[in-house]
Amino acid sequence: MTTSVEVSVIIPCYCCSETLDRALDSVLSQSALPKEIILVDDCSDDGNKTLAVMSSFKESNPHIIVKLIVLEKNSGPGSARNAGWELATSPYVAFLDADDSWHPKKLEIQSAWMRSHPEVDLTGHATLNLSKDIAPHNLPPLQPEAVSRVRLLLSNFLPMRSIMLKTSLVERFYPGKRQAEDYLLWLTLACSGKSLVFLNLPLSYSYKNDFGQGGLSANLAQGLFGVLDVFKQLKDSGKIGYSLYIGLSTLELFKYVRRVVICFYYARFRRFSA
């Protein structure tokens, strides 16, 4: 019999009928099932295809609590996650995007580590980028590492699919923010003295590049403006100084140029090799 863990899984859903089943299958395949799965339809405009997948999943799995939320206005993934977070009844919340998936032991390992370290508010872990589905892989020894504010300011190395945090945290995703809303929350927590830890285990999978390929990250310029807005909000709230704000913004502009160059040459390579 499959054990369970006191974790609420939140999946924002927007026009994701083609990938949602894969994400949900990876949740059902967990060695320790979550207490509940909360699916939030962010006002999908796909003729109810996404909602149909959500409803079918709920009807087909009466053995687990599945909560459906349908938002009347599309406000972005951060607001959708907030809506699910408000309904969560477990001590911990884990986030998964509809186009990603998890290793079968993700919830068991991550929740057990957080329960044994109650002083930690948030954990993230390593992730793998896959071109296709693969069988579960062997995991290396667990090596936790505290996440410093400086390191996080230099790079958002905590992808959403890796995050588990305490439900009781009062901080939330910035309402309506559509780019780097996760980065803003992680930094807000780090700059407020919360304890963040990185686990080296690759317990989640993505199926596209982190930038320049599909989804919200496809538009590099919007991604740049999203991160620059994060730094501005941190400066305006007094969490970082003006000099650091200028330095971080300049560094982000260099990263943007590098990504544009990489995407340009990648596109040319694909065209000439076709």
Side-chain angles (χ1 to χ4, degrees), residues 47-271:
N48 290 328
K49 291 181 181 179
T50 295
L51 185 57
V53 175
M54 294 166 56
S55 300
S56 176
F57 177 78
K58 178 179 174 65
E59 294 173 2
S60 303
N61 295 280
H63 63 289
I64 189 171
I65 298 174
V66 179
K67 299 178 180 179
L68 304 184
I69 304 175
V70 180
L71 302 181
E72 297 181 355
K73 177 183 178 182
N74 177 264
S75 300
S79 295
R81 295 185 192 105
N82 285 342
W85 198 340
E86 291 301 316
L87 283 187
T89 60
S90 305
Y92 298 101
V93 167
F95 297 103
L96 177 62
D97 286 341
D99 52 358
D100 296 328
S101 66
W102 285 339
H103 185 282
K105 295 183 74 66
K106 179 255 188 354
L107 291 181
E108 177 185 351
I109 293 173
Q110 195 170 13
S111 64
W113 193 91
M114 291 198 71
R115 287 197 308 272
S116 64
H117 297 81
E119 74 282 1
V120 174
D121 299 289
L122 177 151
T123 58
H125 53 68
T127 185
L128 295 177
N129 180 273
L130 306 178
S131 60
K132 60 183 179 180
D133 295 331
I134 63 170
H137 53 278
N138 294 326
L139 297 171
L142 177 59
Q143 296 179 342
E145 179 183 350
V147 175
S148 69
R149 186 189 75 142
V150 172
R151 182 184 176 191
L152 193 56
L153 282 168
L154 293 174
S155 174
N156 181 15
F157 59 95
L158 298 175
M160 182 61 62
R161 55 189 168 270
S162 78
I163 298 299
M164 183 177 293
L165 51 73
K166 290 181 177 178
T167 307
S168 59
L169 290 173
V170 298
E171 294 85 355
R172 291 291 188 270
F173 297 99
Y174 192 86
K177 184 171 172 57
R178 296 176 179 271
Q179 293 283 350
E181 77 287 343
D182 55 340
Y183 194 28
L184 178 57
L185 179 56
W186 314 157
L187 281 170
T188 298
L189 293 172
C191 292
S192 301
K194 298 296 192 298
S195 175
L196 285 64
V197 171
F198 178 79
L199 308 176
N200 65 304
L201 304 181
L203 296 175
S204 61
Y205 310 116
S206 65
Y207 298 87
K208 65 179 188 295
N209 296 330
D210 288 337
F211 57 88
Q213 180 185 346
L216 290 173
S217 58
N219 191 314
L220 296 179
Q222 288 186 9
L224 168 66
F225 295 143
V227 174
L228 293 179
D229 176 68
V230 167
F231 297 146
K232 183 179 184 301
Q233 291 200 45
L234 293 175
K235 173 184 69 69
D236 292 345
S237 63
K239 291 181 171 61
I240 63 174
Y242 182 78
S243 297
L244 182 56
Y245 163 68
I246 294 298
L248 291 170
S249 298
T250 302
L251 177 61
E252 197 61 32
L253 286 170
F254 279 115
K255 290 181 181 179
Y256 168 74
V257 172
R258 177 177 176 272
R259 289 167 181 168
V260 170
V261 171
I262 290 174
C263 289
F264 173 76
Y265 280 103
Y266 177 73
R268 290 195 63 182
F269 173 79
R270 290 193 62 183
R271 184 169 71 250

